[in-house]
Amino acid sequence: EEKKMNIVPSLILLVFAGIGATLIYRKYRKYQESGERLDDKELYSLGVQVFILVVLALLMLSSFTTVEIGYGAIVVDPILQQVRGPFLGEAWWFRTPWTRVVRIYYATLSTEMWTDVVENRTIMGEYPSVKVLSKDGLKIEVDILIRYTLIPEKLIELYRKYPDLRYEDKAISSVVREDIRDVVSNYTTLEVIEKRESLSDEMTTTILSSLTDDDTLMGALADIQIDLRNIELPQAFMDAVTRKQGAEQKKLQAEHERATLLIQADATAREAIRIAEGDAESALIRANATLEALRMISQAIDPTVYYSLQQLEAIAPNIEYLILTTGEEGVPILLTP
């Protein structure tokens, strides 16, 4: 279909050229067969006819209009003071030669407001990033991207408001900048970092409402999407935040080490208590055993003999054997200390 549309102007020109050539040829054959020569009047008449045919062909070509996919064409008639359309692409039609066609792209459009530095070169979108002041007076740069489409039925109204079609410069970009300034001014610089998601949601809601309700845009915007690309904070502030985070990290590390030492000290103390309790229990067991042994010895022999043995062992610990006599008959007893 596109090829057919592109060949139509050539076909029209070919038809008119063929008609003109046919008339000239028939005139020429007529005079050739009769042997007569064309006088000046007849040559003038033939020239006028050819001129008229050429003019008509040019008018037909200028009246033939096409519009591509994604565009809406508006026909402006200055004589009748009318605006007709929109004619949505892909399409073609004939119009009166004195009318003017305004083509407006209505498919997906975007307004890019951002600034980047790449290899010491500053690059930007259609507009630079939005420079605003936070609640505490620090300068912040916001990069944002707005995507939208135009409602075809609203193209004529939009054209009447913006005949130069500079609605993006005069309305969209200014509305976005104003809304960003209003929203960011309610946040401190630290809150911009901590509440970025909340800030983004509020910014999106505010811009969406403003673009939808703007009187000059005539409600022509649809499918509005807002992408908060980046928030650039002052370098001095970021350095201060980095230092603060480093100090907090060191503080947390020190607290962790202190807690570890306390846990280790507590474990050591508990172990010492456990050992002491074990030693005390062992001593108690030994004391009870000694007491029981004394009781048994006192029942078997004279206690004074046992005490004497204990004293001898203390005086001469290397004695291996000891012979004692006890009782009336003096029966000898072999003792091993």
Side-chain angles (χ1 to χ4, degrees):
E1 293 181 359
E2 183 177 356
K3 292 181 178 179
K4 291 180 180 179
M5 290 178 59
N6 292 334
I7 204 173
V8 167
S10 300
L11 291 176
I12 294 174
L13 180 60
L14 182 62
V15 168
F16 280 96
I19 294 174
T22 301
L23 292 175
I24 294 174
Y25 178 75
R26 290 179 63 183
K27 202 79 168 177
Y28 173 77
R29 289 290 298 174
K30 176 182 177 182
Y31 284 99
Q32 188 180 38
E33 292 174 356
S34 63
E36 300 178 1
R37 297 183 60 183
L38 294 174
D39 56 20
D40 294 340
K41 184 177 180 180
E42 290 174 336
L43 285 174
Y44 177 78
S45 175
L46 184 60
V48 170
Q49 293 176 18
V50 172
F51 175 77
I52 292 174
L53 287 175
V54 172
V55 170
L56 289 176
L58 293 175
L59 288 176
M60 290 293 293
L61 287 175
S62 63
S63 299
F64 182 80
T65 305
T66 62
V67 59
E68 298 80 9
I69 293 177
Y71 285 85
I74 296 174
V75 179
V76 181
D77 190 333
I79 296 179
L80 299 178
Q81 296 184 351
Q82 293 179 347
V83 178
R84 295 184 294 109
F87 300 93
L88 304 182
E90 183 173 9
W92 64 272
W93 72 97
F94 287 97
R95 60 180 178 83
T96 52
W98 59 85
T99 57
R100 181 168 57 92
V101 177
V102 179
R103 292 174 175 81
I104 303 176
Y105 188 74
Y106 67 87
T108 304
L109 299 104
S110 63
T111 299
E112 301 180 3
M113 309 173 74
W114 53 269
T115 302
D116 280 337
V117 178
V118 179
E119 297 180 353
N120 297 324
R121 293 189 303 109
T122 300
I123 59 176
M124 64 180 64
E126 298 173 85
Y127 306 91
S129 56
V130 184
K131 296 178 174 61
V132 297
L133 293 178
S134 63
K135 189 175 182 179
D136 47 359
L138 292 182
K139 184 181 293 185
I140 297 175
E141 294 186 10
V142 179
D143 294 342
I144 196 167
L145 173 65
I146 314 294
R147 295 187 184 89
Y148 59 93
T149 61
L150 297 178
I151 301 175
E153 292 77 12
K154 298 286 186 178
L155 293 182
I156 291 181
E157 297 178 45
L158 186 64
Y159 172 74
R160 291 184 187 277
K161 280 289 183 180
Y162 298 98
D164 56 0
L165 300 181
R166 294 183 59 191
Y167 55 87
E168 187 178 22
D169 294 336
K170 298 179 179 180
I172 296 178
S173 61
S174 61
V175 167
V176 171
R177 290 181 185 278
E178 182 178 356
D179 286 345
I180 291 177
R181 291 190 182 100
D182 291 343
V183 172
V184 175
S185 64
N186 295 322
Y187 290 78
T188 64
T189 309
L190 188 59
E191 288 175 339
V192 170
I193 299 176
E194 297 174 345
K195 301 180 179 180
R196 179 187 173 97
E197 185 175 352
S198 174
L199 173 65
S200 177
D201 292 341
E202 183 178 353
M203 198 176 296
T204 299
T205 302
T206 303
I207 294 174
L208 182 62
S209 176
S210 297
L211 292 178
T212 303
D213 299 337
D214 188 86
D215 294 335
T216 64
L217 292 174
M218 308 302 296
L221 273 61
D223 301 325
I224 302 174
Q225 298 178 2
I226 300 171
D227 180 16
L228 182 60
R229 294 185 52 187
N230 184 42
I231 298 178
E232 187 73 22
L233 300 175
Q235 188 59 44
F237 179 82
M238 294 303 299
D239 293 341
V241 170
T242 302
R243 289 194 297 270
K244 181 180 178 181
Q245 290 176 343
E248 290 178 350
Q249 185 66 26
K250 291 180 180 179
K251 180 181 178 182
L252 291 175
Q253 184 176 357
E255 291 178 352
H256 175 72
E257 292 176 353
R258 178 174 174 272
T260 302
L261 291 175
L262 289 175
I263 293 173
Q264 292 176 349
D266 182 68
T268 302
R270 289 179 181 274
E271 181 65 17
I273 292 173
R274 187 185 65 79
I275 293 174
E277 289 177 348
D279 292 342
E281 186 176 355
S282 298
L284 181 61
I285 293 173
R286 287 195 299 271
N288 290 334
T290 302
L291 180 62
E292 181 64 20
L294 289 174
R295 187 183 63 79
M296 294 174 64
I297 291 172
S298 65
Q299 292 177 356
I301 63 174
D302 188 352
T304 57
V305 175
Y306 176 76
Y307 294 141
S308 298
L309 288 174
Q310 291 292 320
Q311 292 175 356
L312 287 173
E313 184 180 2
I315 296 171
N318 295 325
I319 295 176
E320 296 183 0
Y321 302 101
L322 182 64
I323 300 175
L324 295 177
T325 58
T326 61
E328 296 178 355
E329 297 180 358
V331 178
I333 300 174
L334 179 62
L335 298 176
T336 301

